[in-house]
Amino acid sequence: MLDLSMIIGDQTVAGTTTFDILNPATGELVGKAPNATEDDLERAVAAAKAAFPRWAALPDAERKAICGKLAGQLEQDAESIARVLTMEQGKPLGGMGSRFELGGAQAWAGYTASLDIPVKVLQDDNEGRVELHRKPIGVVGSITPWNWPVMIAVWHILPALRAGNTVVIKPSPFTPLSTLLAVKAMCEVLPAGVLNVVTSDDTLFNVGAAMSAHPDIRKIVFTGSCGTGEKVMRSAAPTMKRLTLELGGNDAGIVLPDCDPEAIAEGLFWGAFINNGQTCAAMKRLYVHDSIHDAVCDALVAYSRNVKVGNGLDETVHLGPINNKKQFDKVRALVASAGKEGNVLIGGAPDEGLFYPVTLISELDDQSPLVTEEQFGPALPIIRYTDVEEAIAQANDSTNGLGGSVWSRDIEAAKRIALRMECGSVWINKHGAIQPNAPFGGVKRSGIGVEFGEEGLFENTDIQVVFQ
Ligand code: NAD
């Protein structure tokens, strides 16, 4: 059993009390994490604040070189972190599971560390010179969810540090152990106080809420649900914090009539079911043209039959359990109500424990809660359409706007539709593919700001213009 500590300044802090992290596949105890007190959070923020002036003042090349070591630190411990991630999160070790996540974390760390923050010259003539500088903001608070905890931690930490900020990170109560290990590995090459981690099950006090309101935290980068994102925004208002909010999605996929159902089945499946559907930008509603609707359903059912659900430590498994009971109950309730209205093609009823079978439900009304709400689990509603205008309108009839996709052999036709979709990322003949140099973020209630690439890095800076 793992018994891990927080890292605050130059100290490892065991915490006065701890909380248990259970394996969603077995219900067994994976480990214990410290339950931070208000005092622990104060010390973490103070450590980050104290470390900020030196870190921000380092010559840029020096800071870049230190950040450049972080991917290697993660690589060193990748396999052991991946195993812990599988045990606390549930995802398989192989496939698009924990090793894939650790690989992604390294790729993002390496790329982000390599970015530059040049001074932009806006004017340089006889009238004068005007320069745009990007300066670090101060202490950045990072609050992460339980679905891709290590990768998202890196998405928050690396750009903040690269830009010269210091960080306090608070992982989800469901998946703190892999983050504690990843932060420990990174702290080995960082000056004390530059990166701090506090863990909590939100029972002693709500650490995320306290961070969002804390006067010495100058920016919050938050990934999680829309409801909590809204709370973060409210708490952050009095201190006018900078915010990057990466929130929920209800991504639509639109399949045009010219598709070959068999050829797209695998892409559709993984677009929806990656990480058991517990992915912000997974496809969560699928609109299929009437002429190929039944064939697409058949191809998806056939593909689903070969997908093995089980304990992620078993290397033959493709999908693990749902991560936690609250999420499991949400999926169960949405599927139960959809099952009464629609046609359950496969799955439907929960398995033992937190395991849930791959579930496909067709013939649903576009107002069914499984269609209008973010299910965040292994259940995909399939909606029949006859007029593509109707499908586009339904896809856009959502308060969310994270991702979307269009499937067709005619790339130009697909692109014309893609550009009409109200979402931050849109894919053609795939769904959910992201990369470190392409900005990622949501429109509407799916969030504010972007991560990745130069644009994501710059969100960790304040602009100062120098007129001379
Ligand atoms: P959540 O909102 O329940 O929790 C996220 C984090 O917020 C946790 O660390 C939690 O402890 C903390 N928190 C709880 N109360 C808080 C408060 N009052 N103030 C500040 N922080 C608080 O989300 P979750 O269930 O962990 O994650 C699933 C959600 O995250 C889904 O909606 C998913 O779509 C979204 N998500 C979005 C992205 C993206 O990039 N847009 C990526 C992954 C997940």
Side-chain angles (χ1 to χ4, degrees), residues 388-403:
V388 73
E389 290 300 321
E390 185 193 312
I392 298 167
Q394 288 178 2
N396 287 339
D397 183 20
S398 170
T399 52
N400 290 119
L402 193 57

Side-chain angles (χ1 to χ4, degrees), residues 132-297:
L132 184 156
H133 292 248
R134 291 190 173 273
K135 299 166 72 173
I137 304 169
V139 178
V140 171
S142 150
I143 304 172
T144 57
W146 47 262
N147 59 341
W148 295 92
V150 179
M151 196 142 74
I152 292 174
V154 166
W155 293 349
H156 290 189
I157 292 168
L158 256 293
L161 296 187
R162 176 66 193 94
N165 305 286
T166 54
V167 173
V168 175
I169 182 170
K170 187 212 82 72
S172 163
F174 296 109
T175 52
L177 301 174
S178 51
T179 305
L180 286 169
L181 291 171
V183 168
K184 182 167 176 268
M186 291 192 274
C187 280
E188 279 168 19
V189 295
L190 290 168
V194 166
L195 175 58
N196 309 272
V197 56
V198 288
T199 50
S200 160
D201 68 357
D202 296 341
T203 54
L204 286 183
F205 86 117
N206 191 317
V207 178
M211 287 169 70
S212 311
H214 202 293
D216 289 337
I217 294 183
R218 297 301 315 130
K219 174 189 166 89
I220 290 281
V221 49
F222 171 85
T223 303
S225 61
C226 295
T228 314
E230 211 179 302
K231 287 184 192 158
V232 169
M233 204 169 173
R234 282 212 191 92
S235 320
T239 49
M240 208 56 77
K241 284 185 179 49
R242 279 78 185 113
L243 292 175
T244 299
L245 302 176
E246 297 289 356
L247 310 179
N250 194 8
D251 294 12
I254 300 179
V255 176
L256 301 186
D258 68 347
C259 283
D260 172 355
E262 307 247 319
I264 60 170
E266 183 173 14
L268 287 175
F269 181 89
W270 287 110
F273 291 95
I274 180 170
N275 201 28
N276 230 0
Q278 302 167 125
T279 299
C280 52
M283 191 200 298
K284 294 181 179 128
R285 316 173 264 159
L286 180 61
Y287 294 87
V288 184
H289 190 266
D290 180 51
S291 60
I292 57 165
H293 173 276
D294 294 355
V296 168
C297 288

Side-chain angles (χ1 to χ4, degrees), residues 49-72:
K49 190 178 175 186
F52 174 68
R54 277 193 72 178
W55 180 246
L58 275 187
D60 191 62
E62 214 173 301
R63 195 167 46 238
K64 186 176 182 181
I66 298 174
C67 288
K69 294 180 184 164
L70 298 179

Side-chain angles (χ1 to χ4, degrees), residues 407-420:
W407 302 69
S408 172
R409 291 190 225 212
D410 182 343
I411 304 297
E412 285 310 313
K415 199 164 157 189
R416 281 195 295 277
I417 294 171
L419 285 165
R420 293 174 60 196

